[in-house]
Amino acid sequence: TTEIYTLSLHDALPIYITRENIDELNVVLKITIEKNDYEKPVADQLKEYRQKASIPGFRPGKVPDSIIKRRFRVPVLVDEVNKLLSKKLSEYLVEEKLHILGEPMPNEELQQKINWETDETFEFDFDVALAPEVKLELGKNDVFQYYQISASDESIDKQIEMAKSQLGQNVPDEEVKADSTVRGDFAQLDENGQAIENGIQPKGVAIAIDLIKNEEIKNNFIGKKKDDVVVFDPVVAFENRHDIKHMLNIKKEEAETLNGNFSFTITEVLKFEEANLDEELFKKIYGEETEVKTLEDFRNRIKADIEGNLVYSSNQKFAIDTRNKLLEATNLQLPVAFLKRWLVAINKELTIEQIEKEFDDFLIDLKWQLIKDTIIKENEIKVIPEEATAFAVEMARAQYQQYGLYDVPAEQLESFARMILEKEEETERIYKRLYEDKVIKAVKEKVTIQETPISQDEFTKLMQ
């Protein structure tokens, strides 16, 4: 169908726009710009050029109109017509409330060649892709499954072992064992086994015996005690000159050429002792006011923390399932040919083959975005800055907890959150996540949720 619109907005002259509906998703807009539409702004611009132009042989402001027109009329005309075209096209799309996909593209078949020297009326033909209408009819008859994941004994035990290890400490020991750490003084030796007077002599260097690569050197340490001396070549022992640079506190160039033996005088033998599972440990983890007093309390707290963290996985699974169900239910059709053409036009660095390879994923993402936009509009969903800040604080808290730090001061978390939000990409990602969370929540409130208990192992297999 073809419809003709006359656009006349306030200070604007009429611009004639013809709209031809190719199908439900594709239209062609023909915009006609006549001499009366652009004549005055072009004349005003040329007048301004005449007043400012500096051309040899003429005083400023005295250049003949014919010369000004010959030099400047076409570029000025092109600029004014393009500005008018862009403005009117945008106004039309707004007035008609057209939800378009991508951007209007010149129609390669209908667009006539323009002669800017002689033409007075200009016609422009644009292909425009329309977003499909999203119809969502969700109610309590729609059943969505939600998985409640329970923490396994294995994951609880793993967290306990991690806490014991992270809060353990090195204590003095009698003799070196395979898992000992020794501290001592290095002295570089010459070919005769004598200490070099001005050689490399770092003091108080710690060596973890299990990190020594060479088995013979490692065995030479086993059974040694305080004040014993072990002679070895560090390069042979550790096989990594970068590590040796730090261990001996020498320059990179020295480490690259280092060879020969060192004596190592043991000043301290240490063994690692895991922290005891007592109230002192629980206070270190959860703070002085913690209600965790016994091992049973500790296990229950860890179980609750793990299951609290697993809620994220449950929500993620629910979000994925919800997206898939809504994509299937709406079955949106998109203007595929237009979108491919548009993607090629705006991604000059990508080949057609690359775009084809990723096109199906692009369509799924676009359909999901249209569905989300509809839910956001229908439910008047908004995300405010305070919510983004609170989310960033929780991101910071989770990051600290990965390292076994559970009682981080609020001001430290807030400082970390501010650092996160200073990054534009992170802020955009947080807002996108919060909007999506609210979309999923809005769906959850409309449908019936079937809660299904599931173990960590079962859930892991399900996700695979």
Side-chain angles (χ1 to χ4, degrees):
T1 59
T2 301
E3 302 171 3
I4 298 177
Y5 297 78
T6 300
L7 213 62
S8 181
L9 301 175
H10 308 300
D11 60 339
L13 290 166
I15 300 292
Y16 297 100
I17 299 181
T18 301
R19 169 176 160 184
E20 180 182 358
N21 298 317
I22 306 302
D23 54 40
E24 291 183 356
L25 300 176
N26 293 278
V27 302
V28 174
L29 299 180
K30 182 185 289 291
I31 302 176
T32 304
I33 297 178
E34 299 181 343
K35 187 175 181 179
N36 288 340
D37 303 322
Y38 61 78
E39 189 173 32
K40 185 178 185 305
V42 168
D44 291 344
Q45 188 66 45
L46 290 175
K47 184 178 179 181
E48 187 176 334
Y49 273 41
R50 184 170 184 267
Q51 292 171 349
K52 296 179 179 180
S54 177
I55 297 177
F58 299 96
R59 287 180 295 163
K62 300 299 181 182
V63 182
D65 286 342
S66 59
I67 294 177
I68 293 295
K69 287 181 179 179
R70 188 165 63 248
R71 287 198 174 191
F72 301 111
R73 180 183 176 278
V74 169
V76 169
L77 174 64
V78 172
D79 186 54
E80 289 297 332
V81 169
N82 280 330
K83 284 195 292 188
L84 193 59
L85 177 65
S86 177
K87 181 172 184 287
K88 296 310 173 185
L89 181 57
S90 297
E91 288 175 349
Y92 174 81
L93 296 174
V94 171
E95 272 210 341
E96 294 301 311
K97 297 178 181 177
L98 295 182
H99 186 187
I100 71 171
L101 300 176
E103 301 164 1
M105 300 274 290
N107 184 296
E108 296 170 344
E109 294 179 3
L110 297 176
Q111 181 63 55
Q112 299 295 313
K113 189 174 181 180
I114 293 174
N115 188 327
W116 294 98
E117 294 282 356
T118 60
D119 291 351
E120 292 187 346
T121 298
F122 303 99
E123 290 186 349
F124 300 91
D125 296 278
F126 288 97
D127 293 323
V128 177
L130 304 180
E133 183 182 359
V134 179
K135 294 181 180 179
L136 285 170
E137 298 177 357
L138 296 172
K140 293 301 178 182
N141 288 332
D142 298 298
V143 179
F144 286 61
Q145 195 168 44
Y146 182 87
Y147 293 99
Q148 290 182 319
I149 312 169
S150 58
S152 65
D153 288 338
E154 183 182 355
S155 63
I156 296 171
D157 292 340
K158 187 176 179 180
Q159 289 290 325
I160 290 174
E161 290 303 315
M162 189 182 300
K164 287 162 62 179
S165 177
Q166 288 176 339
L167 295 174
Q169 59 182 340
N170 284 313
V171 297
D173 198 9
E174 289 296 320
E175 64 177 40
V176 179
K177 301 179 182 65
D179 59 351
S180 296
T181 295
V182 293
R183 194 178 298 279
D185 303 333
F186 272 108
Q188 190 175 15
L189 306 179
D190 60 20
E191 294 178 355
N192 299 316
Q194 301 299 312
I196 300 174
E197 186 174 348
N198 295 318
I200 300 168
Q201 300 178 2
K203 309 293 183 184
V205 179
I207 297 176
I209 300 303
D210 60 354
L211 294 183
I212 296 175
K213 305 291 185 185
N214 184 277
E215 290 298 321
E216 184 179 349
I217 295 173
K218 182 186 293 187
N219 290 332
N220 284 342
F221 272 95
I222 305 300
K224 295 292 191 294
K225 299 180 179 180
K226 181 181 176 183
D227 298 327
D228 284 345
V229 177
V230 180
V231 175
F232 67 100
D233 184 337
V235 175
V236 175
F238 294 98
E239 302 176 1
N240 187 316
R241 292 183 182 272
H242 179 75
D243 292 344
I244 291 166
K245 167 186 172 294
H246 291 286
M247 183 176 69
L248 299 180
N249 193 25
I250 57 179
K251 295 178 180 178
K252 179 181 177 182
E253 296 76 16
E254 291 179 289
E256 290 297 332
T257 59
L258 186 70
N259 61 72
N261 287 334
F262 282 70
S263 67
F264 183 82
T265 304
I266 299 173
T267 58
E268 194 174 12
V269 179
L270 300 168
K271 66 176 178 180
F272 180 78
E273 284 190 353
E274 293 182 335
N276 293 321
L277 293 173
D278 53 22
E279 197 169 342
E280 183 181 347
L281 173 69
F282 307 146
K283 287 180 179 179
K284 284 181 181 178
I285 297 174
Y286 301 116
E288 288 292 328
E289 304 302 318
T290 183
E291 296 180 359
V292 177
K293 307 293 184 184
T294 66
L295 178 56
E296 184 181 359
D297 293 340
F298 191 36
R299 291 189 68 87
N300 290 336
R301 174 63 184 266
I302 290 174
K303 178 177 169 58
D305 288 342
I306 291 174
E307 291 179 351
N309 290 331
L310 289 173
V311 168
Y312 171 80
S313 298
S314 293
N315 291 340
Q316 189 178 36
K317 172 63 175 168
F318 182 80
I320 292 170
D321 291 347
T322 298
R323 184 188 76 158
N324 293 339
K325 288 192 76 162
L326 295 182
L327 284 169
E328 184 180 352
T330 52
N331 190 28
L332 298 180
Q333 302 302 307
L334 295 177
V336 171
F338 176 92
L339 290 171
K340 283 185 180 179
R341 182 177 155 218
W342 174 67
L343 287 172
V344 170
I346 65 169
N347 293 285
K348 302 295 185 184
E349 72 283 1
L350 297 180
T351 64
I352 295 175
E353 290 74 19
Q354 287 174 309
I355 289 174
E356 285 283 357
K357 184 179 179 181
E358 299 175 11
F359 189 68
D360 288 344
D361 290 337
F362 166 78
L363 288 182
I364 291 172
D365 288 343
L366 179 55
K367 289 176 183 179
W368 178 229
Q369 188 60 54
L370 292 171
I371 293 170
K372 286 193 296 183
D373 288 345
T374 300
I375 295 172
I376 288 169
K377 184 178 179 181
E378 289 179 351
N379 294 273
E380 299 181 347
I381 293 172
K382 290 181 174 60
V383 174
I384 59 176
E386 289 78 7
E387 291 172 318
T389 301
F391 188 86
V393 167
E394 291 309 309
M395 284 177 64
R397 191 191 313 278
Q399 216 158 338
Y400 278 115
Q401 287 180 355
Q402 285 182 351
Y403 298 100
L405 303 172
Y406 296 90
D407 192 33
V408 180
E411 59 271 17
Q412 192 169 335
L413 292 173
E414 289 165 7
S415 175
F416 198 162
R418 283 194 295 272
M419 288 172 59
I420 293 172
L421 292 169
E422 283 173 3
K423 299 174 183 175
E424 188 175 339
E425 288 184 3
E426 282 295 322
T427 302
E428 184 179 338
R429 189 169 69 86
I430 287 171
Y431 270 87
K432 183 178 178 181
R433 167 69 188 279
L434 288 172
Y435 268 110
E436 185 145 334
D437 286 350
K438 289 192 176 189
V439 164
I440 298 301
K441 182 181 178 184
V443 173
K444 227 175 179 182
E445 290 171 351
K446 294 178 186 296
V447 302
T448 297
I449 303 299
Q450 179 180 317
E451 295 184 346
T452 305
I454 191 171
S455 70
Q456 274 184 275
D457 290 341
E458 290 172 328
F459 185 80
T460 301
K461 291 175 184 176
L462 183 67
M463 293 300 286
Q464 290 173 346

